[in-house]
Amino acid sequence: MASSLISRQFVLSLHKSSWLGAPACRHASKVAPKSQVEFGYDGPSMKTSVPGPRSQTLMKQLGDIQNVGAINFFCNYEESRGNYLVDVDNNRMLDVYTQISSIPIGYNHPALLKLMANPNNLSTFVNRPALGILPPENFPDKLNESLLSIAPSGMSRVQTMSCGSCSNENAYKTIFIWYRNKERGHNTPTDEDLSTCMINQAPGCPDLSILSFMGSFHGRTMGCLATTHSKSIHKLDIPSFDWPIAPFPRLQYPLEEFTRENAKEEARCLEEVEDLIIKWRQKGKPVAGIVIEPIQAEGGDNHASPDFFRSLRNITQKHGCAFHVDEVQTGGGSTGKVWAHEHWGMEDPADVVSFSKKLLTGGYYHKDQFQADKPYRIFNTWMGDPSKNLLLAEVLNVIRRENLLEEVARSGNALLNGLYELQAKYPGLLSRARGQGTFCAIDACDDGTRDSILLKARDKGVLLGGCGDRSIRFRPALVFKECHVHILLNIFNDVLSERK
Ligand code: PSZ
């Protein structure tokens, strides 16, 4: 059976993975220190350029069925381990992009394989329930063990969903329901509300809005898309809402050299937020909520200071809008904390926090008052997937057992320092190194250079992602250790030195 084969291979790899094979120091990077016992491989291994011949054949085959324009290559998930993704041409790449930032503890983690092999868990994987009507007996316990054990400050309620967009979409609906009940002073709709909503008219379908930020990404479903402003290709030809869009701060780097300018830039954006709230109220489309990513990810890894977020939170309270923090990409540990908003140091950081990706299940936490007032108002067939909660509970055990958040802080520090060194060494090529934990990025001089660096790095065995106009982003799993940082930096340096 596939899974017993995998476990046997793990046992073998446990014996031979002491980093003896780590590449020697070539640049910024130090000799890779010995890792703790690792269940993965000891470095990239490339047999073909990527995509290789087998991937190309499969691409043609799938091309007869779907659009394959976005496919990079086909993967061999059975052979992938830890930080290494193996493709169908037997290329083994250090994965610093992790399925668009969504693999928490690497590929084929032994703890997760063990969980899958436990007969007591089989029924959870085989029988997918319609959670909103027929949940399994262990559902409350599993929620307590998984999502509620990491609930953001001030929140003890969570609604699971299937993906990030679905989570945001339903979180917006929750916010609108809360806002209208607040306006009414009670939660009983009028007959007019009930009849007008059936024909998409006010007052049943009120003209409320969600304020979002330029450069943000909150998903591609129609409500979410109205708050997504990262790339025009996402939005082209799709009808949308006339909702307010505020500027997101554009910080200058290095931060310590531009303290005054950056503070001024953040104050400008905050002022614009308040102006927009007032303007949209006057237009008759009050802002029911503000949605923001703690670090704008798809939009180019744009950061703002804790002060900015604290002030924004105060603005939402002053104007009676909900504050929705979208942690779909930042949540799950890669910033060095489970939630990026923890870096703001607030007791009451948000009203709603959405998640997906590294948390395996989608969903959102919310304050008690955001609980939908009637059944079936927030509802769909699956409402999440209990098998993902089971996996998540074990992922959280591994994170605690292996102190992975400390590890992320350590690797993140090594990664960011390495990026500082590389941008000093290649000033015409790289700039604006930035990050929190291993959630790091650096800018190339233009988009063409960025794209070619990404492809060259891939052919040398390192998978990276792009974001924004010309940023390179680093999104490793939480098991990415300092030794992996050095492998990454050495290869990245090789790519850059060839361009010089
Ligand atoms: O191109 C795409 O559709 C992509 S590439 C990366 C994402 C989507 N990220 C998803 C995402 C996110 O980063 C944030 C901050 N919020 C919401 C979403 C939507 O999540 P999914 O893709 O699960 O619907």
Side-chain angles (χ1 to χ4, degrees):
M1 302 285 288
S3 68
S4 62
L5 184 70
I6 284 170
S7 350
R8 233 184 359 258
Q9 283 165 340
F10 277 135
V11 174
L12 280 177
S13 62
L14 281 175
H15 290 293
K16 58 175 183 181
S17 60
S18 60
W19 290 107
L20 294 172
C25 171
R26 289 200 294 277
H27 154 64
S29 184
K30 318 292 170 286
V31 176
K34 283 197 176 174
S35 113
Q36 292 170 357
V37 178
E38 228 239 354
F39 58 88
Y41 299 106
D42 55 8
S45 157
M46 301 305 287
K47 310 279 189 225
T48 71
S49 69
V50 182
R54 178 71 185 135
S55 264
Q56 289 182 30
T57 305
L58 289 165
M59 208 98 81
K60 278 204 198 82
Q61 201 183 330
L62 188 62
D64 291 337
I65 307 170
Q66 308 181 336
N67 183 310
V68 289
I71 289 184
N72 296 191
F73 53 84
F74 283 75
C75 302
N76 180 342
Y77 289 108
E78 288 77 15
E79 291 300 320
S80 301
R81 304 259 181 291
N83 291 285
Y84 292 94
L85 178 61
V86 176
D87 77 1
V88 289
D89 291 282
N90 207 17
N91 297 301
R92 185 203 305 152
M93 291 161 264
L94 182 65
D95 193 354
V96 195
Y97 194 43
T98 58
Q99 314 285 332
I100 324 183
S101 197
S102 67
I103 302 287
I105 53 173
Y107 296 101
N108 285 309
H109 195 288
L112 298 184
L113 292 177
K114 199 168 154 202
L115 187 88
M116 286 290 297
N118 181 345
N120 295 332
N121 295 329
L122 269 185
S123 143
T124 305
F125 290 101
V126 171
N127 303 296
R128 185 171 187 181
L131 273 174
I133 51 170
L134 298 167
E137 182 178 11
N138 66 2
F139 189 51
D141 279 348
K142 288 295 161 194
L143 282 179
N144 276 319
E145 268 176 49
S146 57
L147 288 167
L148 289 172
S149 76
I150 51 166
S153 170
M155 296 182 197
S156 56
R157 308 191 72 95
V158 69
Q159 179 59 63
T160 53
M161 286 287 161
S162 294
C163 71
S165 302
C166 182
S167 308
N168 285 340
E169 198 75 34
N170 283 285
Y172 295 176
K173 288 174 62 180
T174 298
I175 288 170
F176 290 133
I177 292 170
W178 162 82
Y179 195 89
R180 273 300 283 145
N181 282 337
K182 192 159 65 102
E183 277 185 336
R184 285 189 188 100
H186 56 80
N187 59 16
T188 311
T190 62
D191 287 345
E192 192 190 10
D193 288 335
L194 294 173
S195 60
T196 52
C197 76
M198 292 304 287
I199 50 166
N200 300 356
Q201 301 295 318
C205 292
D207 236 343
L208 297 175
S209 60
I210 300 275
L211 181 146
S212 54
F213 289 81
M214 196 45 87
S216 58
F217 188 100
H218 298 295
R220 291 165 176 264
T221 50
M222 301 252 316
C224 294
L225 195 57
T227 58
T228 286
H229 318 283
S230 52
K231 286 192 189 138
S232 51
I233 191 73
H234 300 332
K235 296 173 71 75
L236 182 68
D237 297 335
I238 318 287
S240 199
F241 294 112
D242 173 27
W243 287 355
I245 307 158
F248 191 88
R250 173 80 183 166
L251 300 187
Q252 297 182 63
Y253 289 84
L255 293 177
E256 57 285 4
E257 277 176 34
F258 292 98
T259 346
R260 198 140 31 97
E261 291 83 349
N262 288 338
K264 210 169 139 201
E265 167 67 355
E266 293 192 334
R268 176 185 77 86
C269 297
L270 290 167
E271 209 171 292
E272 183 77 10
V273 168
E274 281 210 81
D275 281 355
L276 288 169
I277 293 175
I278 292 162
K279 266 195 204 130
W280 255 254
R281 190 183 301 143
Q282 284 164 352
K283 278 216 261 186
K285 301 178 181 189
V287 174
I290 293 185
V291 65
I292 195 163
E293 298 156 85
I295 302 168
Q296 279 193 340
E298 298 308 304
D301 271 33
N302 304 317
H303 293 246
S305 71
D307 270 348
F308 173 81
F309 288 102
R310 285 194 286 262
S311 304
L312 189 62
R313 176 56 167 148
N314 288 340
I315 290 174
T316 62
Q317 279 161 337
K318 175 174 162 196
H319 291 276
C321 331
F323 191 44
H324 172 173
V325 178
D326 178 350
E327 293 250 22
V328 167
Q329 190 149 166
T330 48
S334 54
T335 68
K337 296 194 184 286
V338 172
W339 304 110
H341 70 249
E342 291 175 67
H343 294 283
W344 309 339
M346 297 171 71
E347 263 171 40
D348 183 20
D351 295 308
V352 177
V353 172
S354 55
F355 55 84
S356 188
K357 293 199 187 258
K358 282 194 171 54
L359 279 296
L360 302 180
T361 172
Y364 57 95
Y365 299 92
H366 57 80
K367 294 274 198 62
D368 291 356
Q369 59 269 36
F370 288 79
Q371 178 66 55
D373 55 13
K374 297 174 186 64
Y376 291 110
R377 296 204 77 182
I378 298 292
F379 192 83
N380 61 37
T381 306
W382 278 330
M383 306 280 276
D385 179 347
S387 71
K388 301 298 180 195
N389 301 348
L390 210 61
L391 290 166
L392 175 61
E394 189 54 22
V395 163
L396 296 175
N397 285 338
V398 170
I399 291 175
R400 291 177 190 122
R401 206 162 55 223
E402 300 183 10
N403 290 320
L404 290 184
L405 294 187
E406 282 169 33
E407 206 69 67
V408 164
R410 212 178 356 255
S411 318
N413 202 25
L415 175 55
L416 195 53
N417 282 329
L419 294 178
Y420 289 146
E421 285 183 41
L422 286 175
Q423 78 179 8
K425 188 171 170 190
Y426 302 102
L429 264 181
L430 298 178
S431 62
R432 303 183 77 237
R434 56 203 182 275
Q436 194 155 46
T438 54
F439 200 107
C440 289
I442 195 162
D443 283 7
C445 50
D446 55 57
D447 57 342
T449 307
R450 187 266 312 270
D451 295 347
S452 110
I453 290 174
L454 294 180
L455 289 180
K456 292 220 165 89
R458 189 170 77 180
D459 275 341
K460 287 181 189 293
V462 168
L463 282 176
L464 294 166
C467 62
D469 298 332
R470 53 194 173 92
S471 303
I472 295 166
R473 67 174 140 172
F474 302 85
R475 293 290 187 277
L478 308 177
V479 291
F480 195 75
K481 308 274 158 80
E482 269 186 277
C483 53
H484 303 109
V485 172
H486 296 303
I487 294 173
L488 158 67
L489 290 172
N490 281 331
I491 293 178
F492 198 39
N493 178 60
D494 288 349
V495 172
L496 297 165
S497 67
E498 283 169 16
R499 294 198 61 89
K500 217 180 176 182

